[in-house]
Amino acid sequence: MKVALEELSKNMARGRRKKCHVPWPDLPLHLLELVSSRLPLIDYLNFRRVCSTWRAAAKQHNPCPDYPLLMTPGRRVGRRVDDDCRFFIKASDGKRCVMVLPEFGKRYSYVGCFYGWLLIGDLHLRHLLFLMNPFTGARIDLPLWDVTKSVYRATLSSPPTEPNCVVIILNFWYSNITFCRIGDNKWTTQECHLEKPEEALLFRGKFYILCHQLRLPDAECSSQPKLAMMKLPQGPHHSYTSWKCVPYLVESGDEILLVVKGYSRPNGAVDRIIVFQLDLSTSSWLVLESLRDHILFLGENCSLSLQAASLGCRGNRIYFTEPHHSGWWEFDMEKGSIVSISRRNGGHKYTNVNPPVWITPHFV
Amino acid sequence: MASTSNSTSSKIITLRSSDGEVFEVEESVALESNLIRRMMEDDCANNIIPLPNVTAPIFYLVIEHCKKHAEMKDNKEKKKELRSQGEELLKSDPHTYSNLMEAVNYLDIKSLMDLTAQWLADFLKGKSPRLIRELLKIKNDFTPEEEAEILERNRWAFD
């Protein structure tokens, strides 16, 4: 066998000299794509930098389909924190890479992340609000913002590159919602009689808005976008008056989940997490004991739910972040335990304007 | 075990490479290629099947890989052997490797397409663009402006 192979390689060498060969970049795009689709994120990014054909081939697909990375600010260089650097961390194994995003340290403040796009406010020109994909540098400007209002919660109806994408913005202290369609030249404000709106989520073509109280049974908003109101659950599980709780809405396996993070009194750390599922027929919340094969990633304006199997890990867990802290935590729903996951240099407190966000890289 | 293909008295198929060399290949091996399969269904089987896009040395290599692949199905050592040969070829002669990928694609041999892509992907892991270009002898065709822009946009580093 070995002899045959040696002969073969001699033959090959001869043939190579005589015949024209296919240089790498001329390989059919789908073959290159077959290669790039097998690469983890960093190698995928390097692949894109080899030559223009490889770059074009790599565009066809997403290297980590659905796998969210935690984007956290600040790379420590000695004592100094480099504001323009962002870490991208894989929650499951803590592997991370660094990307330099100029202006992100001082000028841009992001509110959240949707479909791989950050919703960014410009701190210098405060009426500028735009969406940006940090992986491609693509930017989509939104209508000029009223600088007297702050952006508290936002959500998108679809990736902004799709037609008719609607951006909705809520503020805890306002009873109305503000929205625009990508390409509109101004924002539209719609009175909805909301009482302390907390979160919004697009589900089956409707924006579900979570409030502390409902003044109207269901806001009769016939106009676009379609809205549905929900009240926070009340009861023994949960009391909003006693101590700080933060609610998150997440779509998970065609259900609406409400996850409530409760903080303990003495040290202000998260000490319990309760998951509710919306009963759509009665509009009431049921306590959910298990997420089964799902994993939730919770964060300000960037929560998502994924099937554990597609990520190659165990389900029934929740990863969450805290504003002003670059670390993240894992809540094991089966054991009921909360574990802090920090690495060297990671897990430090910071006073950056930007919260850590879960981002699913998209390269289109 | 390695003689499974011999024991079944399979038909011999005659193929001709682009540089005119004639090969006699067992049907079981040749049928790994969807292209040859289609050609045979179109009743070219009794004649010599021409392969105008594949040179003889590359075709040798493809047949060798096909045979090995058939043998390795439930043999871990063979699998390792095949893999290390693929890696060796990639290191010593990347252009032939790219020809092999091209030929496998032309002959439409799904299993080998996946394997060769996987080996290449494994080879690329952990290497910088510059090193990849150097090892695979790829020309950097970005203009300095493009290069600068890419760098500015995505300054990635291992941590």
Side-chain angles (χ1 to χ4, degrees):
Chain A
M1 178 84 71
K2 270 211 167 153
V3 180
L5 270 174
E6 270 165 28
E7 237 166 65
L8 255 180
S9 54
K10 269 183 214 157
N11 275 335
M12 270 155 32
R14 232 179 293 138
R16 201 177 70 246
R17 259 172 243 128
K18 266 193 291 183
K19 298 284 160 190
C20 63
H21 33 68
V22 184
W24 287 102
D26 291 349
L27 276 182
L29 283 192
H30 73 270
L31 279 188
L32 289 171
E33 200 193 326
L34 212 57
V35 177
S36 71
S37 67
R38 288 169 156 78
L39 294 171
L41 180 66
I42 299 170
D43 294 304
Y44 170 83
L45 291 163
N46 283 336
F47 183 95
R48 286 162 55 91
R49 280 173 44 193
V50 171
C51 65
S52 56
T53 325
W54 284 32
R55 191 173 182 80
K59 258 194 186 156
Q60 312 290 321
H61 95 112
N62 194 344
C64 25
D66 298 340
Y67 205 106
L69 301 169
L70 184 64
M71 178 175 170
T72 67
R75 179 190 204 187
R76 276 201 175 165
V77 186
R79 278 191 161 181
R80 198 171 59 86
V81 172
D82 186 346
D83 284 336
D84 285 344
C85 278
R86 290 290 177 278
F87 280 130
F88 289 82
I89 308 170
K90 214 167 158 183
S92 56
D93 54 13
K95 275 191 187 155
R96 61 184 178 178
C97 49
V98 180
M99 185 161 135
V100 177
L101 294 165
E103 309 278 13
F104 270 60
K106 291 170 191 74
R107 183 160 179 190
Y108 293 161
S109 154
Y110 40 84
V111 180
C113 183
F114 317 92
Y115 309 99
W117 292 74
L118 296 165
L119 176 59
I120 296 176
D122 189 320
L123 295 173
H124 294 179
L125 303 162
R126 301 189 69 97
H127 54 274
L128 290 187
L129 209 55
F130 58 93
L131 294 158
M132 184 184 176
N133 181 339
F135 292 91
T136 62
R139 169 175 166 155
I140 296 174
D141 282 312
L142 297 177
L144 296 182
W145 184 249
D146 175 359
V147 293
T148 59
K149 287 184 179 175
S150 63
V151 179
Y152 175 74
R153 282 286 182 270
T155 194
L156 265 65
S157 65
S158 66
T161 44
E162 280 177 22
N164 291 323
C165 166
V166 176
V167 183
I168 275 201
I169 289 178
L170 302 176
N171 191 309
F172 188 72
W173 302 108
Y174 303 142
S175 61
N176 54 32
I177 62 157
T178 307
F179 66 92
C180 78
R181 227 168 269 278
I182 301 284
D184 282 358
N185 54 14
K186 65 177 178 54
W187 292 93
T188 308
T189 299
Q190 185 172 315
E191 182 51 62
C192 298
H193 306 286
L194 304 172
E195 183 112 353
K196 295 181 184 168
E198 283 273 11
E199 282 264 287
L201 175 77
L202 183 92
F203 183 76
R204 294 184 190 164
K206 253 191 213 176
F207 282 101
Y208 283 78
I209 296 174
L210 183 73
C211 308
H212 279 250
Q213 285 297 331
L214 294 182
R215 286 196 203 149
L216 297 173
D218 198 342
E220 292 294 314
C221 298
S222 52
S223 63
Q224 290 293 325
K226 280 191 181 147
L227 302 175
M229 310 299 166
M230 293 177 298
K231 206 171 84 167
L232 274 163
Q234 310 287 320
H237 302 294
H238 193 77
S239 158
Y240 289 93
T241 46
S242 63
W243 191 242
K244 192 177 141 195
C245 286
V246 180
Y248 298 91
L249 285 181
V250 192
E251 181 184 345
S252 177
D254 208 31
E255 301 282 355
I256 295 181
L257 301 188
L258 165 66
V259 187
V260 181
K261 231 163 63 174
Y263 293 79
S264 70
R265 200 181 283 273
N267 57 6
V270 177
D271 71 340
R272 69 210 138 108
I273 289 179
I274 306 166
V275 183
F276 300 89
Q277 181 183 321
L278 183 68
D279 182 339
L280 283 161
S281 56
T282 60
S283 292
S284 57
W285 294 106
L286 311 169
V287 176
L288 198 65
E289 300 293 341
S290 165
L291 294 167
R292 291 188 298 277
D293 61 337
H294 278 85
I295 295 190
L296 303 188
F297 295 83
L298 292 189
E300 314 287 308
N301 289 312
C302 60
S303 303
L304 43 112
S305 162
L306 293 169
Q307 276 199 315
S310 69
L311 307 179
C313 52
R314 200 163 46 82
N316 204 14
R317 282 178 297 165
I318 299 175
Y319 287 112
F320 64 92
T321 59
E322 287 289 287
H324 308 298
H325 199 290
S326 65
W328 69 102
W329 285 260
E330 186 194 80
F331 172 62
D332 188 319
M333 214 161 155
E334 196 180 323
K335 295 181 198 152
S337 59
I338 294 174
V339 183
S340 160
I341 303 173
S342 328
R343 281 171 41 120
R344 67 193 164 87
N345 289 345
H348 59 277
K349 284 199 172 178
Y350 64 95
T351 51
N352 196 293
V353 284
N354 290 318
V357 292
W358 298 107
I359 182 163
T360 314
H362 282 266
F363 293 87
V364 193
Chain B
M1 189 172 10
S3 61
T4 37
S5 43
N6 296 342
S7 57
T8 53
S9 55
S10 73
K11 231 168 94 181
I12 299 290
I13 291 173
T14 317
L15 303 153
R16 191 174 53 224
S17 67
S18 65
D19 39 0
E21 216 161 305
V22 174
F23 293 80
E24 291 191 332
V25 183
E26 279 165 35
E27 189 181 35
S28 61
V29 175
L31 284 182
E32 292 255 338
S33 157
N34 287 328
L35 179 82
I36 296 176
R37 185 187 293 270
R38 280 195 299 273
M39 283 174 140
M40 287 178 64
E41 280 164 6
D42 293 347
D43 206 23
C44 310
N46 296 326
N47 309 319
I48 295 178
I49 299 180
L51 299 170
N53 284 7
V54 188
T55 59
I58 297 297
F59 194 62
Y60 269 124
L61 206 58
V62 174
I63 295 171
E64 202 59 30
H65 274 82
C66 273
K67 279 188 189 158
K68 287 254 178 69
H69 189 255
E71 285 169 17
M72 84 174 206
K73 267 177 188 142
D74 29 41
N75 187 332
K76 272 195 178 159
E77 263 177 34
K78 285 270 186 238
K79 213 171 184 171
K80 257 191 196 162
E81 194 186 314
L82 189 60
R83 189 195 167 89
S84 65
Q85 266 175 23
E87 281 167 356
E88 196 50 48
L89 179 62
L90 191 49
K91 266 183 222 154
S92 61
D93 191 351
H95 273 319
T96 301
Y97 192 89
S98 77
N99 277 326
L100 175 66
M101 280 185 83
E102 172 98 300
V104 163
N105 175 53
Y106 168 71
L107 293 167
D108 198 1
I109 309 174
K110 185 78 184 60
S111 54
L112 282 190
M113 269 166 81
D114 287 339
L115 269 183
T116 47
Q118 186 62 51
W119 294 335
L120 178 55
D122 292 343
F123 177 79
L124 298 177
K125 278 179 196 165
K127 294 189 172 69
S128 70
R130 186 183 290 176
L131 186 62
I132 292 172
R133 277 188 220 119
E134 201 176 292
L135 291 174
L136 300 186
K137 302 180 178 65
I138 295 172
K139 197 169 164 279
N140 180 3
D141 63 349
F142 291 117
T143 63
E145 293 82 32
E146 280 173 331
E147 182 102 64
E149 196 198 331
I150 294 168
L151 264 184
E152 188 51 46
R153 210 175 259 182
N154 286 1
R155 236 184 289 161
W156 291 91
F158 292 101
D159 182 54

